[in-house]
Amino acid sequence: MTHEAPSPSGGHPITLGLDTFGDVSHDAQGRPLPHGASIRNLVAEGVLADQVGLDHFAIGEHHTDWMPLSAADVVLAAIASRTSRIRLGSGVTVISSDDPVRVYQRYATLDAVSDGRAELILGRGSSTESFPLFGYDLADYDLLFEEKVNLFAELRKEKPVSWSGSTRPALKDQPVYPHSESGAIPTWIGVGGSPQSVVRAARYGFPLMLAIIGGPTARFAPFEQLFRQALEQYGHPDQPVGVHSPGHVAATDEQAIDEFWPHYETAILKVARQRGFRPPTFEQFMYDVGPGGALFVGSPETVAQKIVTTLKDLGASRFDLKYGMNGLPHEALMTNIELFGTEVAPRVRDLMSP
């Protein structure tokens, strides 16, 4: 049973879920747990998300020591075996450095074992560690994404595929199995700031997921407008728009900030050193935590109100909280999930009802 309310964008039900990058869990003394323990904790988190009535649970692909979720579909299958309702997907699958045929086969298999609950969000990914790992050249970044999304769109039709390109061997009337029982696995395109990706999602008639990880959320409103205009131009029916943003829910605003900020600072500082941009400041963090910013950190009421504002401002009908941060203990994540499912989600649905 899903809990749905009418969407401000017309016709699409409001759905609420969680995304995670599978950050390594820490114990009460702040020591990182082994990868295996962290992955088992992640399975428990997905099970709890189902129990508290959330609509989606997604795992983002990463290949690092502190985010060791390189096989999200395997973890999602484990969650599927202990749940019955929640939709299970990727957030995102880095399609550029993978084989679209294998991606399709893995998620079609997940769809089977979950009784039709699999979905994907295809994206470029915010990290590039998979490119050298699998032997791809970052100079081909755009070409890889374009060709592989194109092939996946053909595979999703679940008919013999004829396709040719420059990034993998051609296919000629090639059947690919297994088939999903619904006839098409739900597939979204994740976009972090590229108008070209917005138009690409519309060209294939895929729903759009906006990954908003910093700055004012309102700057993404033109993307939603561009998406709907492009859908119309390509002759596709209207599709839902979703939002993915980081956050953390605790009993009070102060507790949420105190728990989240130290680990957020450490994680973003690490990324800043790798990519050469300015380290984060607490003032910048608090701006993003405030009204209109991209971080959903606070009490259940604070986070719920901010989600409602974001959905209305962007004409969106889905919100996924990217929860967790390297260093946060598993217990804090479980509390976050429970509060998001039992207090934030019902409040959002109530506020979005006519």
Side-chain angles (χ1 to χ4, degrees):
M1 177 180 178
T2 58
H3 305 272
E4 299 175 348
S7 165
S9 57
H12 301 297
I14 298 297
T15 61
L16 299 161
L18 294 166
D19 287 346
T20 176
F21 294 164
D23 305 83
V24 167
S25 302
H26 285 218
D27 64 18
Q29 287 72 45
R31 297 171 300 195
L33 297 177
H35 291 167
S38 294
I39 291 171
R40 289 189 292 274
N41 283 345
L42 179 54
V43 173
E45 292 159 16
V47 172
L48 180 59
D50 180 71
Q51 292 171 347
V52 298
L54 292 170
D55 300 299
H56 308 272
F57 191 82
I59 299 174
E61 174 190 342
H62 285 83
H63 303 264
T64 67
D65 180 49
W66 54 305
M67 292 185 292
L69 260 296
S70 56
D73 51 296
V74 177
V75 182
L76 293 166
I79 296 170
S81 72
R82 296 173 55 188
T83 58
S84 60
R85 185 197 53 80
I86 196 166
R87 296 201 64 83
L88 301 166
S90 64
V92 300
T93 293
V94 184
I95 191 72
S96 305
S97 57
D98 211 331
D99 181 1
V101 174
R102 292 298 288 146
V103 171
Y104 166 80
Q105 290 176 321
R106 295 197 304 266
Y107 278 86
T109 302
L110 173 64
D111 196 64
V113 300
S114 67
D115 195 17
R117 291 184 283 135
E119 61 183 13
L120 291 99
I121 304 174
L122 304 178
R124 301 167 184 266
S126 60
S127 303
T128 58
E129 67 269 2
S130 63
F131 284 77
L133 180 63
F134 298 116
Y136 290 99
D137 189 341
L138 277 172
D140 298 328
Y141 189 78
D142 292 326
L143 176 64
L144 285 164
F145 190 62
E146 175 64 41
E147 285 201 357
K148 293 193 176 188
V149 170
N150 179 267
L151 174 53
F152 192 88
E154 292 302 311
L155 292 161
R156 187 173 172 270
K157 297 174 183 177
E158 301 192 351
K159 298 178 180 178
V161 175
S162 293
W163 180 93
S164 62
S166 60
T167 56
R168 76 172 313 282
L171 298 173
K172 177 65 173 177
D173 294 326
Q174 178 67 53
V176 180
Y177 304 110
H179 288 170
S180 67
E181 290 177 282
S182 67
I185 300 172
T187 303
W188 300 59
I189 294 289
V191 175
S194 166
Q196 292 82 5
S197 291
V198 173
V199 173
R200 181 184 292 109
R203 186 167 80 241
Y204 293 117
F206 290 164
L208 179 71
M209 179 64 75
L210 300 172
I212 307 176
I213 61 174
T217 58
R219 77 185 194 279
F220 281 80
F223 281 5
E224 182 263 341
Q225 297 162 10
L226 173 63
F227 178 61
R228 301 203 188 280
Q229 291 169 359
L231 281 171
E232 185 175 356
Q233 291 174 356
Y234 285 116
H236 292 302
D238 193 45
Q239 295 292 335
V241 172
V243 175
H244 150 114
S245 286
H248 182 68
V249 187
T252 66
D253 291 348
E254 293 76 13
Q255 181 182 348
I257 291 167
D258 289 345
E259 289 179 353
F260 192 72
W261 161 247
H263 307 294
Y264 177 84
E265 180 186 30
T266 299
I268 300 302
L269 181 60
K270 181 183 294 188
V271 175
R273 287 170 177 163
Q274 292 172 346
R275 303 186 188 180
F277 59 78
R278 184 178 299 176
T281 67
F282 185 69
E283 291 73 23
Q284 290 170 330
F285 169 77
M286 289 304 297
Y287 172 83
D288 277 345
V289 167
L295 296 179
F296 291 72
V297 178
S299 68
E301 181 65 20
T302 295
V303 172
Q305 292 282 354
K306 192 168 182 177
I307 290 172
V308 169
T309 298
T310 300
L311 292 176
K312 290 181 176 179
D313 287 349
L314 300 183
S317 58
R318 173 175 172 176
F319 182 88
D320 286 359
L321 181 76
K322 189 276 167 187
Y323 78 96
M325 192 63 63
N326 186 259
L328 278 167
H330 174 59
E331 292 73 17
L333 302 183
M334 294 293 273
T335 299
N336 175 100
I337 293 167
E338 184 171 5
L339 289 173
F340 191 74
T342 62
E343 297 190 30
V344 175
R347 182 64 172 147
V348 171
R349 293 173 184 131
D350 180 60
L351 292 169
M352 296 296 290
S353 296

